[in-house]
Amino acid sequence: MNIHHKKKFLSFLKFKRDFRKYGLEKARSYELILHWLNNRLSRNQFLVLSGILVGCTAGLAGVLLKTLVHNIHHFITTKVHFEYQILFYIIFPFLGIVLTVMIVMTIFKGQDRKGIGAILYEIAQNSSVVSSVKMYSQIVQSAVTVGLGGSAGLESPIAVTGAAIGSNYARTYRLSYKERTLLLAAGATAGIASAFNAPIAGIMFAFEILLTGVVFTDFIPLVVAAVCGSLLSRILLQEDVLFRFYTREAFNYRNLPYYFALGIVTGMYARYFVIISKRVEHFISGLKMSPLRKAMFGGAVLSMLCVLFPPLFGEGYDTVKAFTNGNTHTIIENSFFRYFEIRNFTIIIFLVLVLLLKAFATSFTIFSGGNGGNFAPSLFAGGTVGYLFAIICQQLGFEEVPVTNLVLVGMAGAMSGVMYAPLTAIFLIAESSFGYDLFIPLMIVAIISYLIAKWFSPISPELKSLADQGKIFTDKHDNNLLFSLKTEDFIDRYSQVIHENAPITDLFELVKNGTKNIFAVVDDGKILRGILTLDDIRPYLFSSEEISATIIQIMKAPPAVVHPENKPLEILQMFDDTGVWNLPVVNDRNVFIGFISKSTILTSYRQLLKEYSD
């Protein structure tokens, strides 16, 4: 029996012992069965089984969240009556954000880290270990936020929930980091697949966003998880809850100029959306308010926007479906624009304002304390851009404009530019509209929008700060490994030091009794004054004449100094620039801490590379 199987068997025996000791209150029988299967099945077989179980659980979580929000929407729109409709849009969006913050503060003790960035951080910095609280906290928070009208999407919370389910499943059965990361991604994949009933889009989401910089060859668990999540969505969700579009035109190559132009337009709008999002985030984070006051402020802004433009209320999928069904007038009837004569010019002005304010509505929803993501907002905005573009083309005299197709591919374009995920966007719209013959226009629009976004910023602005700090993986695999290393682990705090005024005979004693080949020269306050190496003192060691030189005379300035906050990547660059193998480490007051060795970092890097490659 090899070491791997011995570990599995010992884990099984320990669980069996606990099961007998504590009974059913402390152990669950199905876990005993799974531990037994983990011991009996091969690694690939158990991962496939795990993908099915994680996929079903995450898919059920996605179905639950979509159903909750749908029922909340149905209740507040059909059961709660206001004498004046304006009160509806004033009360519920405000209430959604405030209640979410209160829930976070009271039930979840302020643990409100949310969004895809939080999962990427856990993958890179926490060995893919996600808090078990996230298996249900995201469902509760996003159901309240979006259900009551928050202008955000459910897909990011669903993905986080699925990731937490996969991570905690892997921890329960003591799987390795790579297997834990794989099941984390499988959970998120199933969540996205269940949200849209789009299994391929779920898989693309995992590869494009979650698994950036993670190298592995297993993908079958992702596939089976996506299939399970999608099937559960199809079986359990009502037709009006599903993200489905049945009306579209056949693809005509003569319409290619429309798609090329729309790709540019959606790319520029996506850039506008992310800029507004970052500025609102910066503005809200700079407010000297308590979290509850920020929620009240953001809720008030959102309510005002929803009063003026009702399409900003909630996810907005109904509005996009109205575009594809030709029911544009129903979009305006609850707004102040109903007092104007509804002409094409009126619709154009209304939709332009909706697009400009959608970025503000989503940003205030998320950053003032609500829980949601940019999936739905980017799809809503893209569909609106596509419809607006089609109307303008018609007004300019162009005939046979493919309105519905422009709405569909517009969604892919905006999502690609906002989320930096063109493949996810392409397959999502293709699967949701049964529009596989639209692959060419979908590719054109999504790729153009993505290239425009990458031209402005190579990394998604939403994740740029974390990437710059080395807290998440990027497509630079070498840097990912280096960022995983910690400078503190490489500092030799038992380095040999000598006082600057000490006699040179003390230095000889250090050489004689020590094992180091580099020494730090310090003053009374342990301030670093210089360094000495064996090469510097070798001429004096074997001299037969009386030595008159002092420590100060023979010491030299270090070619560079390292601070504890420097990253291993920066330190290796210092070694390359100076050509040495050891550098002193000092604090912000120049007090000597120890030496750091280039060979130590490279050895740890090689070991980490081996672990990631196995």
Side-chain angles (χ1 to χ4, degrees), residues 37-48:
L37 288 173
N38 189 15
N39 184 56
R40 301 291 296 178
L41 298 177
S42 68
R43 174 183 177 274
N44 288 336
Q45 289 171 337
F46 186 74
L47 283 179
V48 171

Side-chain angles (χ1 to χ4, degrees), residues 97 149-152 269-284 297-306 308-309 312-314 352-369 374 377-378 380-381:
I97 297 178
S151 193
Y269 178 80
R271 181 61 184 172
Y272 163 80
F273 189 97
V274 296
I275 287 176
I276 294 300
S277 178
K278 296 306 294 181
R279 291 186 177 180
V280 171
E281 180 184 12
H282 180 72
F283 169 74
I284 293 178
F297 173 73
V301 173
L302 177 63
S303 292
M304 179 186 68
L305 293 175
C306 289
L308 296 174
F309 299 94
L312 300 178
F313 182 90
V352 167
L353 293 174
V354 166
L355 282 172
L356 293 176
L357 294 174
K358 180 62 178 180
F360 288 94
T362 299
S363 302
F364 274 100
T365 298
I366 296 172
F367 298 119
S368 64
N374 285 327
S378 64
F380 166 86

Side-chain angles (χ1 to χ4, degrees), residues 538-584:
R538 185 173 285 111
Y540 304 101
L541 284 173
F542 305 104
S543 175
S544 58
E545 301 177 1
E546 185 178 351
I547 302 172
S548 59
T550 62
I551 298 295
I552 292 180
Q553 289 176 325
I554 64 174
M555 74 178 187
K556 61 184 180 183
V561 293
V562 176
H563 293 87
E565 58 269 20
N566 289 136
K567 302 292 184 183
L569 181 62
E570 300 171 324
I571 298 171
L572 284 178
Q573 186 61 53
M574 292 182 191
F575 281 122
D576 290 342
D577 294 340
T578 58
V580 299
W581 283 82
N582 294 279
L583 286 173

Side-chain angles (χ1 to χ4, degrees), residues 26 137 293 435 513 582:
K26 295 293 183 180
S137 65
R293 287 184 178 274
N513 300 318
N582 294 279

Side-chain angles (χ1 to χ4, degrees), residues 153-211:
L154 297 171
E155 293 75 26
S156 289
I158 289 174
V160 173
T161 300
I165 290 171
S167 172
N168 283 275
Y169 174 94
R171 288 174 65 192
T172 300
Y173 302 105
R174 296 176 175 85
L175 302 184
S176 67
Y177 167 74
K178 293 187 70 174
E179 293 164 342
R180 190 162 56 248
T181 304
L182 177 62
L183 292 181
L184 178 153
T189 296
I192 295 298
S194 69
F196 293 107
N197 191 21
I200 301 178
I203 296 171
M204 292 298 104
F205 169 80
F207 280 116
E208 281 192 300
I209 298 179
L210 289 184
L211 297 177

Side-chain angles (χ1 to χ4, degrees), residues 332 337 341-352 388 391 395:
I332 300 179
F337 274 66
E341 185 179 357
I342 299 179
R343 297 181 177 180
N344 286 331
F345 181 75
T346 309
I347 295 174
I348 291 173
I349 295 297
F350 180 81
L351 294 181
V352 167
L388 178 62
I391 293 178
Q395 293 301 300

